[in-house]
C-alpha cells in the first residue's frame, strides 16, 4: 500500500487484519504495509519505508523491518515543447540545464552509497515525466532529456550505488553491458 492508502481504507484494527491476511495468503513474500506512511511505526510489515523529497532521507532498520527509501528524487528539467501542459510543470527541485539534474542525482546516489550498511533498498522517482510532474529522465512522450555523456553519468552513478551494496554484482555480465543468451 502506498502512503496512507491502507490505513485510510482499513482504519483501526482492520489495518492489522489486512496485513495479517496478506501474510496468510503468501507467507513467503515480504510485505511493505505502508510505503512512505506513518503506519510503518506499527511494525506490521517487513519494511520501514520512508518517502523523502528531494534527497534520500535517513531511515534505519528496526528489529523486525529492513530500511528502505521508497521514494526520493523529484529533480526536473523542463523541456520546452515537451511538456504535457506547457508552463505548468512541477518538480521538487528544478534545474535550468540537464547537467544540474545529473549532478544532483549523482550526489544523491553517493549519499545512498554511504548508507548501504543500513538502507537495503531505494526508489528514485521518477524515470519519466507524468502529466504535470516534469521530474523524469524522459519527457512524458519518452524523449531523453540528456546528452549521451549525461546519460552515461546517470548510469555510472546508478551502477556505483548497486556496486556499493554488493561489489560482486559488478562482475556479472549484465553490468558490463552484455546479456548472456538463456
Amino acid at each position: 500500500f502506498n502512503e496512507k492508502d491502507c490505513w485510510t481504507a482499513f482504519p483501526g484494527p482492520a489495518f492489522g487484519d489486512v496485513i495479517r491476511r496478506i501474510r496468510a495468503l503468501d507467507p513467503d513474500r515480504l510485505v511493505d504495509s505502508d510505503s512512505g506512511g506513518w503506519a510503518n511505526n506499527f511494525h506490521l510489515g517487513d519494511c520501514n519505508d520512508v518517502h523523502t523529497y528531494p534527497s534520500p532521507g535517513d531511515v534505519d532498520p528496526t528489529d523486525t523491518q529492513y530500511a528502505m527509501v521508497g521514494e526520493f528524487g523529484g529533480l526536473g528539467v523542463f523541456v520546452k515543447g515537451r511538456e504535457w501542459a506547457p508552463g505548468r510543470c512541477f518538480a521538487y527541485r528544478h534545474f535550468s540545464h540537464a547537467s544540474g539534474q545529473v549532478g544532483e542525482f549523482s550526489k544523491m546516489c553517493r549519499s545512498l552509497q554511504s548508507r548501504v550498511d543500513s538502507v537495503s533498498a531505494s526508489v528514485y522517482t521518477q524515470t519519466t515525466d507524468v502529466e504535470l510532474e516534469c521530474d523524469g529522465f524522459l519527457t512524458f512522450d519518452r524523449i531523453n532529456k540528456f546528452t549521451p555523456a549525461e546519460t552515461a553519468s546517470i548510469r555510472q552513478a546508478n551502477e556505483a550505488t548497486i556496486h556499493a551494496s554488493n561489489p560482486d554484482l559488478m562482475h556479472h555480465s549484465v553490468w558490463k553491458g552484455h546479456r548472456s543468451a538463456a
Side-chain angles (χ1 to χ4, degrees):
F1 295 98
N2 190 46
E3 296 169 352
K4 62 183 179 179
D5 292 345
C6 187
W7 54 265
T8 301
F10 306 102
F15 176 72
D17 293 341
V18 168
I19 302 307
R20 284 186 283 282
R21 177 73 175 147
I22 290 168
R23 284 193 189 286
L25 290 170
D26 193 350
D28 296 326
R29 195 175 303 255
L30 294 172
V31 176
D32 188 348
S33 61
D34 193 26
S35 178
W38 63 265
N40 286 314
N41 296 327
F42 295 146
H43 301 277
L44 296 172
D46 298 300
C47 183
N48 184 19
D49 178 350
V50 300
H51 295 182
T52 58
Y53 287 94
S55 299
D58 290 327
V59 59
D60 291 313
T62 70
D63 290 341
T64 59
Q65 298 170 305
Y66 66 92
M68 176 177 178
V69 181
E71 290 183 19
F72 76 98
L75 308 176
V77 174
F78 306 163
V79 179
K80 188 174 175 87
R82 296 287 183 190
E83 300 171 359
W84 181 267
R88 295 180 53 207
C89 276
F90 168 80
Y92 286 96
R93 188 169 298 154
H94 173 251
F95 296 90
S96 55
H97 299 286
S99 61
Q101 183 175 353
V102 173
E104 187 64 20
F105 175 76
S106 297
K107 179 179 165 186
M108 290 176 173
C109 286
R110 287 190 300 276
S111 172
L112 287 166
Q113 292 161 25
S114 72
R115 295 186 275 152
V116 296
D117 58 331
S118 60
V119 177
S120 296
S122 63
V123 178
Y124 179 82
T125 60
Q126 50 207 19
T127 57
T128 60
D129 291 353
V130 178
E131 297 176 358
L132 301 182
E133 296 179 15
C134 299
D135 53 359
F137 292 139
L138 305 174
T139 61
F140 79 93
D141 55 351
R142 308 308 189 255
I143 303 299
N144 190 346
K145 296 181 179 183
F146 305 102
T147 66
E150 291 166 338
T151 300
S153 292
I154 291 168
R155 179 182 175 145
Q156 181 180 24
N158 210 17
E159 288 181 350
T161 304
I162 295 165
H163 179 68
S165 65
N166 187 345
D168 293 335
L169 285 176
M170 292 306 285
H171 302 293
H172 192 276
S173 63
V174 170
W175 300 114
K176 296 187 183 276
H178 307 288
R179 296 190 187 273
S180 56

